[in-house]
Amino acid sequence: MAWLKKKSPCGQVSEGRIPKHIAFIADGNGRWANERGLPRFEGHRVGKDAIKKVIDRCFDRGVSVVSLYLFSTENFNRPKDEVEYIFNLFRQMSGELVKSLLKRDAQFRLMGDLSLLPADIQVSINDIIQKTSTCASRVVNFGLAYGSRHEIVGAVNKLLASGIKVITEENFKNYLDTAGLPDPDLIVRASGEQRLSNFMLYQAAYSEFYFPKKYWPDFDEKVVDECIEAYQNRKRRFGNI
Ligand code: IPE
Ligand code: IPE
Ligand code: MG
């Protein structure tokens, strides 16, 4: 059991193997707020600040693609005022987001069904995509109105409509919302829950998983380093020996 004892040198994550793509499931905003006697909204508000910290730390550590699952297709079933509050946070953050993406030469991608989002958010997402379209060093991929089953069924329908007769792994992945992106090396779910909740079901085939015991609003630079360290202690085999 030598691998159990092997620990990567603490605080030296940048010297080890860095995942190319980390995908975060940003969960636990409501519980973070409840534990503080605050309304759920407060958790979402503070969770918004964690998004920037996490992206920045990942990029500082050399990660090239950061995916964030922020709002699922199922989350539309939540009370209207909570859904509206979350969309308002996106409205508030979009200006600053473009600036920081451009500073990092990071392209913005959306995974999710744009048509399910409010019209003004569709416009602002298209605007961010367009403004960052020539950025080539990094990628920030937001999961909004995203559900993996919806994505997979949509991909199959698009393939059928394109007239393709034989579906292969190669052509299929080009019809997913993550087309052109590497599969996530590491999937991190905040809040301690250990499930995918309809996230990247196809792309996660060989991802490593890590579940910090922290709610999303408490995610910061230290938690990102902890995630990368956990990844550096894994041995990926891809079915080989
Ligand atoms: C994640 O936090 C944010 C969204 C899913 C939109 P939650 O709102 O799910 O928080 P918990 O899981 O109820 O604590
Ligand atoms: C998953 O969280 C979706 C996002 C974080 C955006 P949920 O809170 O919706 O997932 P469940 O309901 O606990 O599975
Ligand atoms: Mg949740």
Side-chain angles (χ1 to χ4, degrees):
M1 298 292 246
W3 59 274
L4 268 179
K5 288 183 208 118
K6 215 167 82 194
K7 220 184 159 312
S8 78
C10 195
Q12 312 243 332
V13 287
S14 52
E15 284 168 28
R17 190 171 41 117
I18 299 293
K20 213 185 272 175
H21 180 179
I22 309 186
F24 293 90
I25 302 176
D27 193 24
N29 293 353
R31 278 164 284 166
W32 182 92
N34 283 344
E35 285 185 10
R36 287 160 179 76
L38 300 167
R40 293 178 58 83
F41 304 105
E42 277 300 299
H44 295 312
R45 192 179 63 77
V46 178
K48 175 174 82 86
D49 300 331
I51 295 174
K52 186 167 172 18
K53 286 186 210 167
V54 166
I55 294 173
D56 278 341
R57 185 55 148 211
C58 284
F59 286 165
D60 286 344
R61 289 299 187 199
V63 175
S64 352
V65 183
V66 180
S67 292
L68 293 143
Y69 192 19
L70 299 171
F71 194 86
S72 71
T73 43
E74 289 77 18
N75 291 150
F76 281 106
N77 298 323
R78 293 189 179 196
K80 255 201 173 84
D81 56 345
E82 178 164 342
V83 172
E84 197 45 36
Y85 188 89
I86 292 169
F87 288 148
N88 275 335
L89 288 175
F90 183 79
R91 290 181 179 104
Q92 283 168 29
M93 75 183 289
S94 54
E96 210 197 310
L97 180 65
V98 178
K99 275 191 228 149
S100 54
L101 289 166
L102 292 174
K103 215 156 65 192
R104 291 289 197 158
D105 193 35
Q107 189 177 111
F108 182 82
R109 296 268 307 244
L110 180 85
M111 61 187 312
D113 186 341
L114 195 64
S115 73
L116 299 175
L117 293 166
D120 67 304
I121 294 195
Q122 293 185 29
V123 171
S124 96
I125 284 176
N126 280 327
D127 183 55
I128 303 174
I129 291 173
Q130 188 265 321
K131 283 185 172 135
T132 63
S133 62
T134 56
C135 297
S137 303
R138 304 174 180 88
V139 174
V140 169
N141 178 36
F142 269 26
L144 288 175
Y146 176 74
S148 194
R149 288 182 173 176
H150 188 71
E151 174 196 35
I152 289 169
V153 171
V156 172
N157 279 318
K158 279 183 242 160
L159 271 156
L160 289 176
S162 77
I164 285 176
K165 294 278 182 302
V166 180
I167 297 178
T168 63
E169 289 186 21
E170 277 317 300
N171 63 26
F172 181 69
K173 71 181 184 195
N174 293 330
Y175 284 81
L176 294 172
D177 295 352
T178 48
L181 299 179
D183 286 341
D185 300 293
L186 175 65
I187 295 181
V188 174
R189 181 165 185 151
S191 90
E193 304 293 1
Q194 302 190 358
R195 55 176 172 265
L196 282 172
S197 301
N198 206 7
F199 184 61
M200 287 201 184
L201 302 181
Y202 189 83
Q203 297 88 337
Y206 269 103
S207 303
E208 296 294 326
F209 290 86
Y210 187 61
F211 306 102
K213 288 186 181 54
K214 284 251 193 316
Y215 297 130
W216 179 253
D218 285 330
F219 266 54
D220 60 7
E221 295 77 4
K222 254 181 79 186
V223 182
V224 171
D225 282 1
E226 177 192 319
C227 297
I228 296 175
E229 254 189 80
Y231 176 79
Q232 290 174 339
N233 284 318
R234 304 287 174 85
K235 170 103 180 68
R236 303 181 80 186
R237 281 182 287 275
F238 300 98
N240 216 321
I241 52 169

